[in-house]
Amino acid sequence: MIYRAFILLCLAALAGCQGLPYRGAEDQARITADLKLAATPAEFTRLRWAYTNYGVMKGEQTEDAIAVVQPGLITLVGYAGGHYVRQASFRVATVDCAYIFDGETSDRPIWLLQQDRIVFLTVSDFRGNGDVLKRTQLVKALAASGFTLHTDAQGPAYRPTGKSERLLVLNPIVGKHMEDIAENQAHNVCRPQPLKDK
């Protein structure tokens, strides 16, 4: 009996270390209740997110969240003190567009481009393994919610600076290796840019 209790305690500790608990319909109902949502949202997607600034791209520390998409709104939900909590919310009116890397069917990030910053969203895990199906569902939910989508085919939201940096890269297939990574500068492709004097 003591052995069994010890195993259950270890499993509970491991579950707590895995971050955000989320297993589907039961947790969706808890999110709806904890956030006092009037109706069940159209989409729940587990992802990682961060704020980042326009200009030269730097690595940002991401947070685990569940993206809850409702009409005209996406809310990023975390977990604290045994309850789901709102980390951030973005209304359609505060987002110039959702920049969709590589079109709808990809596992690349999504950027919510705001006037002063980018909201970085990714369905990839910390190793970079993405989920194309979850990402596709999220893109469709954002479009249905009223967010304007902008893809690479319409013009990229970043441009190379001409510089590069030699970095250690972890690739799941070839392992760790050094690689020259091109430096990019992010800009708001969905907001008219001021003309520069020549």
Side-chain angles (χ1 to χ4, degrees):
M1 186 66 153
I2 294 174
Y3 179 73
R4 186 174 177 178
F6 177 72
I7 289 178
L8 289 174
L9 181 63
C10 289
L11 289 174
L14 284 172
C17 292
Q18 291 179 7
L20 187 67
Y22 182 71
R23 291 186 180 83
E26 181 181 325
D27 289 312
Q28 289 174 7
R30 287 185 59 205
I31 290 169
T32 301
D34 286 350
L35 271 60
K36 297 177 177 46
L37 303 178
T40 301
E43 181 68 28
F44 294 84
T45 304
R46 191 169 186 157
L47 50 67
R48 293 181 6 258
W49 77 282
Y51 290 117
T52 189
N53 295 319
Y54 292 107
V56 174
M57 301 302 300
K58 300 187 184 315
E60 302 294 342
Q61 184 66 39
T62 57
E63 292 186 52
D64 289 334
I66 297 162
V68 177
V69 182
Q70 298 172 272
L73 176 70
I74 180 172
T75 301
L76 302 174
V77 178
Y79 191 77
H83 296 282
Y84 288 97
V85 294
R86 185 177 281 106
Q87 293 177 335
S89 291
F90 307 99
R91 295 198 172 279
V92 166
T94 68
V95 175
D96 294 331
C97 70
Y99 177 63
I100 314 299
F101 283 83
D102 291 344
E104 284 189 30
T105 54
S106 157
D107 65 355
R108 301 277 316 276
I110 296 168
W111 287 356
L112 302 181
L113 302 181
Q114 296 187 293
Q115 180 176 352
D116 300 323
R117 66 184 174 190
I118 300 167
V119 181
F120 171 89
L121 307 174
T122 180
V123 296
S124 298
D125 63 21
F126 69 95
R127 290 186 182 98
N129 301 316
D131 186 324
V132 175
L133 178 60
K134 282 194 334 191
R135 197 263 201 172
T136 301
Q137 290 170 336
L138 179 59
V139 170
K140 288 181 177 176
L142 288 170
S145 178
F147 287 88
T148 301
L149 304 185
H150 184 97
T151 64
D152 283 326
Q154 296 167 279
Y158 59 92
R159 48 187 162 248
T161 64
K163 299 177 184 174
S164 64
E165 189 176 352
R166 193 150 181 82
L167 298 172
L168 181 66
V169 175
L170 176 61
N171 183 303
I173 297 169
V174 298
K176 295 179 186 175
H177 65 282
M178 296 301 287
E179 191 174 307
D180 285 327
I181 305 294
E183 182 181 83
N184 287 303
Q185 183 172 6
H187 65 280
N188 189 340
V189 70
C190 298
R191 182 175 284 264
Q193 303 295 308
L195 295 174
K196 293 183 181 176
D197 293 332
K198 291 185 179 179

